[in-house]
Amino acid sequence: PAPPAPAATPATPSTPATPSTPATPALRIHNVSYTYPNAQAPAVRDVSVDARFGQIIAISGQSGSGKSTLLDMLFGTTRPQFGTISLCPEARGGEPMDRPNGRRPGIGDMLRRVFGRPARVRPSRSAGLVGYVPADARAVLELHAGMDPYDLSRQRIMASSLGEQQLAAVRQVLNERRPITLLDEPTKGLDAPASAEVGLAMQRRAAQGGLVIFSCHDSEFCVRYATMNAVLMNGELVAY
């Protein structure tokens, strides 16, 4: 007679697929601090955050908590006096990582080498790496409309409301699909539908593999659209 068939090996339960998170941070902020001249206390004190592609990170806190200063350091217009800000190889395209205390080129220096002027003058032209909407979004719009004061598109931009300017700048920079996008108060002056448009645009960019970091004091907006929330208080990271 034929030998009995071997017992079937129990199937190993399959693990549900989960979105993968890169092991190497796209952007590493390590113990950065900055104090403005003549200030009695640091604007940012000993902040550390690891940010990865596909994330939307909110930097929240009240006015004066250090949100804009931290974004300025990420972009390179302000150099940290202590600590490091480093880009991963996929984002920096072979550029050297930052040294402590700003002794090596940062993001802003890469822009200055390309454009030969301070990075804030060209906030959305970032050598293919970083899109940036600063607190004054008009700089982004002027760049794309042209600097000719008689240019009709520029005249229309400057005649529009601050909220319309803010929304147009955020649209423009997110549509550029840079690996990293920095937005300083992107919903400032916007009504609820326009704010929702910004939030959905950030989610689309993250779903495409980009990293979005934005500052905001609207906790409801942060909860709804951010995947991580870094809370600053008096320049210190109190929750992440």
Side-chain angles (χ1 to χ4, degrees):
T9 303
T12 302
S14 59
T15 302
T18 56
S20 60
T21 301
T24 302
L27 187 67
R28 170 160 284 170
I29 307 161
H30 182 67
N31 293 342
V32 297
S33 297
Y34 184 82
T35 304
Y36 287 100
N38 303 320
Q40 296 182 348
V44 173
R45 185 201 302 266
D46 200 29
V47 170
S48 295
V49 174
D50 281 355
R52 291 171 169 80
F53 291 119
Q55 287 185 319
I56 304 172
I57 297 182
I59 303 173
S60 62
Q62 297 182 348
S63 296
S65 60
K67 302 186 302 294
S68 294
T69 302
L70 182 57
L71 280 179
D72 279 345
M73 287 194 287
L74 296 184
F75 191 60
T77 51
T78 298
R79 298 303 269 312
Q81 294 159 332
F82 301 97
T84 60
I85 299 173
S86 304
L87 292 170
C88 80
E90 288 79 5
R92 61 190 171 91
E95 287 289 338
M97 303 290 261
D98 293 348
R99 284 182 180 171
N101 307 324
R103 295 178 182 175
R104 216 172 187 179
I107 299 172
D109 288 296
M110 286 189 274
L111 310 192
R112 291 184 181 93
R113 287 204 295 273
V114 174
F115 298 108
R117 63 187 70 189
R120 185 178 285 279
V121 175
R122 292 178 177 265
S124 69
R125 294 295 181 88
S126 51
L129 294 174
V130 182
Y132 183 40
V133 178
D136 185 354
R138 290 175 297 178
V140 176
L141 301 178
E142 286 188 338
L143 171 65
H144 289 277
M147 303 305 293
D148 183 356
Y150 299 102
D151 185 274
L152 294 179
S153 59
R154 181 182 186 278
Q155 293 178 18
R156 285 194 296 270
I157 289 170
M158 302 314 293
S160 63
S161 70
L162 291 178
E164 291 171 330
Q165 293 174 10
Q166 185 76 15
L167 182 58
V170 171
R171 283 172 176 163
Q172 176 63 54
V173 171
L174 283 171
N175 286 338
E176 290 175 352
R177 298 179 65 174
R178 310 281 178 170
I180 299 172
T181 302
L182 307 176
L183 307 173
D184 194 356
E185 297 284 357
T187 61
K188 180 179 62 179
L190 303 186
D191 58 16
S195 296
E197 179 183 338
V198 170
L200 293 173
M202 293 192 304
Q203 289 181 333
R204 286 194 298 271
R205 184 68 200 104
Q208 294 164 349
L211 166 63
V212 180
I213 303 177
F214 71 98
S215 67
C216 188
H217 60 266
D218 183 344
S219 58
E220 182 178 345
F221 183 87
C222 294
V223 169
R224 176 169 296 183
Y225 294 107
T227 59
M228 299 290 292
N229 192 6
V231 182
L232 293 179
M233 181 180 294
N234 298 324
E236 297 186 10
L237 185 66
V238 296
Y240 181 60

